[in-house]
Structure formats: C-alpha cells, structure tokens
Amino acid sequence: MPLTRLSATVKALRKSAGLTQEDLAMKSGVGLNFVRNLEQGKRTLRMDKVNQLLDLFNYELIPARKDSPDKTEP
C-alpha cells in the first residue's frame, strides 16, 4: 500500500512522541492492527477510529478541498 499524507503524519506524530505502535494503540484505545493498517496507508478505515487515534495528538480528520494548497479552506 502506498503511504498517504495521513499515514505519514500519524507515523511522524507517533515517533516524535516516542511511542511504539503498541503504545499508540493502547493509549488511543484502538487495536494494534488498526494502527498498523493506518500507518501502511490502508484506504478503507473507520473515520471515527482515525479521529479517536488522532485525538491523542490534538488532531482531527476533516474534509478539505483537494485543490487547496494548505488544505484548510472550506
């Protein structure tokens, strides 16, 4: 699976926090397999679980325009 911007971001956040995938799974309340799939770029993941994991880093998955340079415009 090709890495996505989301998977790269999660992996970078996890590493900067000094967490293993197992640590991240336990602290965020998702399964280890989910963390692995997310970091590997799996395209079909539950958004609620992605946000549950991202909440640990004070991030959230939001809709963004594909053509927006900073991806923050509505």
Side-chain angles (χ1 to χ4, degrees):
M1 288 175 260
L3 289 182
T4 63
R5 186 173 173 185
L6 175 62
S7 62
T9 299
V10 169
K11 188 172 186 175
L13 288 169
R14 174 179 64 78
K15 287 188 174 220
S16 71
L19 300 173
T20 64
Q21 288 181 332
E22 293 86 359
D23 293 335
L24 179 56
M26 193 178 331
K27 287 182 178 279
S28 64
V30 301
L32 176 57
N33 208 30
F34 180 84
V35 173
R36 288 180 176 158
N37 286 335
L38 176 57
E39 286 193 5
Q40 290 174 1
K42 183 175 180 184
R43 296 256 182 217
T44 54
L45 294 168
R46 287 183 42 186
M47 287 177 41
D48 62 327
K49 288 197 172 275
V50 171
N51 276 324
Q52 181 179 339
L53 182 145
L54 289 173
D55 189 55
L56 186 65
F57 302 107
N58 200 31
Y59 277 67
E60 68 180 346
L61 188 63
I62 60 170
R65 290 181 54 100
K66 288 183 177 184
D67 60 352
S68 175
D70 66 358
K71 307 270 184 185
T72 57
E73 295 177 7

